[in-house]
Amino acid sequence: MADKTRNFAATMVEERHKDNDNPTQTTMDQGRVESDVARCYSASMADEALLSRPVLIRQAHAQYLRHGLSRLSTSYQHLDSSRPWLVYWILHSLELLEEPISDQTKHEVVDFLRKCQNPSGGYGGGPGQISHLAVTYAAVNALCIIGTKEAYDSIDRPALQWFLARMLQPNGSFASHTDGEVDIRGAYVALAVARLLNILCPEICEGTAAWVASCQTYEGGFAGIPGCEAHGGYTYCGAAALILLDTTHLCDIQGLVKWAANRQMRLEGGFQGRTNKLVDSCYSFWVGALFPLLEFFVTQEETEEHIHALNSSRWLFHQEALQEYLLHCAQSPKGGFVDKPGKPADFYHTCYALSGLSVAQHFKWKDASRSCIVGEATNELATVHPLFNIGLQAATDAQEYFGNLKVPSIQKRDGDASAGDA
């Protein structure tokens, strides 16, 4: 059990943002969020047992997720082109909660994702839609979570490899789809998929490491493209991409550590995504997972100035404070997680809140004996693999299965001018 929970009464007073009587829209928004969060903590303070031992309401979350896997309300119509994302967010959340998925459901999911796969490579947001890198990442992750031979073998690895090669741009970046936008997310998802499926080859990553490194900003985080503002999601993608390419030496590690550590909010305990922005539960993973990734950096570099970090017994953020924010302020009583108090629950925030909660609970993510659990022991989640954001076991099993297969040779396929030919 964790013994480093905060003194909430003092925190509510001492850690509030101070604008020195010069309010701006930013400081007023921050003040409103702090008041909402303070009310959540104050409600818990009224129940001493709840304050010291917050409860992860597993069954409510599981029911919410299972319902979404079988039926969605009309409010999700605008996500028609993101259906594999919905499948991934739900399956990964259930995976972390260690909720079983029936064989029939696994088969149905594989069958649906097979229909989203295009003959010319990659996955679209639904049957008949054009292939998109981000959707492909979600589909592959979902299939690796299912982890059956049917799921693995449903992936057309040679065609997917050719799709990745077509998305690679001359400067090393990736387009999200044919003639689509270019940013650092494309590089990460392409490399993550390639690593999981053992299809990474020079033809699909030439120049990518240098381009990703050029996205690191003066603040220490990474921007979507060179010259823009550092952002939590982009920073995760940049750091992970350099690890996947074994090129961590291109990163300013000290700047990255400083930027990431400063994203944790003093009163709330959760993370913000950018400087002077509001807390958001999804950054529990996008920023929280940077700290396990930094262990990869140190392990690969093994320089004297960084090696001491491996001897620490904690991540370089307040793990208990993050868990307290998620458990006290971000859980919906009806199931699912919210961005921040007052917002509705959704599958996206549920997925990344649970992923961040897992990161905060498990120090040295390969060592289950070194955990940091706030509240009941039953709050503990399965361990997430911080590089792929699927369960550690799912990632291990997938890499073992595909690692035994030969890396395909790049081969042009008929009909590759348009990916939307499923």
Side-chain angles (χ1 to χ4, degrees), residues 130-132 167 169 173-183:
I130 67 168
S131 294
H132 191 289
M167 296 304 103
Q169 304 300 296
S173 64
F174 282 82
S176 59
H177 58 86
T178 302
D179 298 324
E181 72 273 19
V182 172
D183 63 50

Side-chain angles (χ1 to χ4, degrees), residues 81-408:
S81 61
S82 301
R83 291 164 70 185
W85 274 115
L86 291 165
V87 171
Y88 161 61
W89 294 332
I90 293 173
L91 287 181
H92 181 45
S93 298
L94 290 170
E95 172 190 36
L96 292 176
L97 291 166
E98 297 182 285
E99 288 287 331
I101 303 167
S102 70
D103 290 341
Q104 179 61 29
T105 298
K106 291 178 181 179
H107 171 73
E108 291 173 353
V109 170
V110 173
D111 187 55
F112 167 71
L113 292 176
R114 188 183 286 114
K115 294 174 182 176
C116 296
Q117 187 172 207
N118 288 306
S120 58
Y123 292 78
Q129 298 185 25
I130 67 168
S131 294
H132 191 289
L133 274 181
V135 173
T136 298
Y137 164 83
V140 169
N141 272 6
L143 291 166
C144 289
I145 290 168
I146 291 173
T148 61
K149 190 174 188 303
E150 179 190 25
Y152 292 153
D153 292 347
S154 72
I155 304 170
D156 187 341
R157 295 169 63 244
L160 178 51
Q161 185 187 53
W162 176 234
F163 170 62
L164 298 181
R166 298 201 312 275
M167 296 304 103
L168 180 66
Q169 304 300 296
N171 65 355
S173 64
F174 282 82
S176 59
H177 58 86
T178 302
D179 298 324
E181 72 273 19
V182 172
D183 63 50
I184 203 169
R185 294 171 298 181
Y188 163 68
V189 297
L191 295 169
V193 165
R195 278 287 193 181
L196 270 177
L197 302 183
N198 190 31
I199 59 175
L200 186 63
C201 61
E203 291 89 341
I204 60 175
C205 61
E206 185 177 356
T208 300
W211 184 84
V212 168
S214 73
C215 294
Q216 189 169 21
T217 78
Y218 72 94
E219 286 186 280
F222 286 74
I225 57 175
C228 289
E229 181 184 14
H231 179 280
Y234 295 146
T235 299
Y236 170 84
C237 290
L242 292 179
I243 292 170
L244 291 164
L245 289 169
D246 297 323
T247 54
T248 56
H249 63 280
L250 298 177
C251 179
D252 174 5
I253 299 177
Q254 292 184 339
L256 177 59
V257 171
K258 181 179 179 180
W259 182 88
N262 278 291
R263 300 285 70 75
Q264 189 166 29
M265 308 299 282
R266 297 171 65 90
L267 182 145
E268 300 92 311
F271 287 102
Q272 62 181 184
R274 291 180 285 163
T275 303
N276 291 329
K277 294 296 182 178
L278 303 175
V279 70
D280 186 331
S281 66
C282 73
Y283 295 114
S284 302
F285 178 78
W286 293 125
V287 178
L290 288 171
F291 299 93
L293 294 189
L294 285 165
E295 184 179 25
F296 281 94
F297 277 72
V298 173
T299 301
Q300 291 186 20
E301 293 301 301
E302 293 185 345
T303 57
E304 184 176 350
E305 63 179 306
H306 298 130
I307 200 67
H308 71 277
L310 289 176
N311 300 321
S312 174
S313 61
R314 298 174 56 81
W315 299 132
L316 297 177
F317 71 93
H318 199 307
Q319 292 164 245
E320 294 82 5
L322 177 59
Q323 294 179 63
E324 288 160 358
Y325 174 72
L326 293 172
L327 295 173
H328 288 293
C329 305
Q331 292 192 99
S332 169
K334 296 181 180 180
F337 282 75
V338 303
D339 161 357
K340 57 181 65 67
K343 299 285 187 176
D346 62 74
F347 298 117
Y348 169 84
H349 285 93
T350 300
C351 170
Y352 293 102
L354 288 171
S355 296
L357 185 60
S358 176
V359 168
Q361 290 176 342
H362 299 112
F363 179 74
K364 300 294 183 187
W365 52 279
K366 290 184 178 179
D367 184 355
S369 66
R370 302 178 71 178
S371 57
C372 167
I373 313 300
V374 168
E376 302 292 338
T378 54
N379 288 351
E380 185 171 5
L381 298 172
T383 305
V384 68
H385 194 299
L387 198 53
F388 302 108
N389 198 21
I390 60 177
L392 178 59
Q393 191 60 54
T396 301
D397 291 346
Q399 288 187 293
E400 180 178 353
Y401 183 87
F402 293 111
N404 290 323
L405 303 179
K406 183 180 178 180
V407 178

Side-chain angles (χ1 to χ4, degrees), residues 120-121 162 166-167 178 411-419 421:
S120 58
W162 176 234
R166 298 201 312 275
M167 296 304 103
T178 302
Q411 294 182 352
K412 183 175 180 177
R413 296 219 165 184
D414 293 338
D416 63 0
S418 174
D421 52 5

Side-chain angles (χ1 to χ4, degrees), residues 60-81:
H61 297 320
Q63 183 177 357
Y64 167 74
L65 292 161
R66 290 187 188 282
H67 180 76
L69 197 58
S70 60
R71 183 178 296 275
L72 294 172
S73 69
T74 56
S75 64
Y76 281 89
Q77 287 179 340
H78 68 288
L79 291 176
D80 179 66
S81 61

